[in-house]
Amino acid sequence: MKAKEFKRWRKAHGLSQTKAARKLGLRIRTIQYYEKGKRKDKKVEIPKAVALACFAISCGVEDVDYTEPEGRAIRRDEPYRQLTRQT
């Protein structure tokens, strides 16, 4: 995500810099650096985690529930199943 895209995302969601900072768990100054794309004449890159958080907020995800899903418990000794595309 580039600086202009980040600023466009914030404005498209009707967020002030302060509200965006609260939603993303960042300081307002960090939001300002991301929107400028630099800090003290050094390039600032928006971390992938922040870009993914922006995407999640766009999809309506505001918080994450880390409790185990209902149904069969996950066994730690079971190998992970790979996702396969159905044809």
Side-chain angles (χ1 to χ4, degrees), residues 7-20 23 57:
K7 189 172 186 175
R8 198 174 323 130
W9 170 84
R10 177 180 64 78
K11 289 187 172 195
H13 287 83
L15 299 172
S16 65
Q17 289 180 337
T18 302
K19 287 182 181 179
K23 278 190 176 279
I57 291 168

Side-chain angles (χ1 to χ4, degrees), residues 39-53:
R39 177 180 182 234
K40 296 182 182 179
D41 295 326
K42 290 186 180 179
K43 186 177 178 185
V44 172
E45 298 213 10
I46 297 169
K48 187 181 280 190
V50 173
L52 289 170

Side-chain angles (χ1 to χ4, degrees), residues 80-87:
Y80 289 102
R81 293 187 185 117
Q82 290 187 353
L83 297 176
T84 57
R85 187 164 54 168
Q86 303 262 336
T87 57

Side-chain angles (χ1 to χ4, degrees), residues 1 6 9 13 15 20 23-26 46-64:
M1 177 178 252
F6 182 79
W9 170 84
H13 287 83
L15 299 172
K23 278 190 176 279
L24 293 168
L26 301 170
I46 297 169
K48 187 181 280 190
V50 173
L52 289 170
C54 291
F55 177 74
I57 291 168
S58 296
C59 293
V61 177
E62 293 290 328
D63 203 358
V64 180

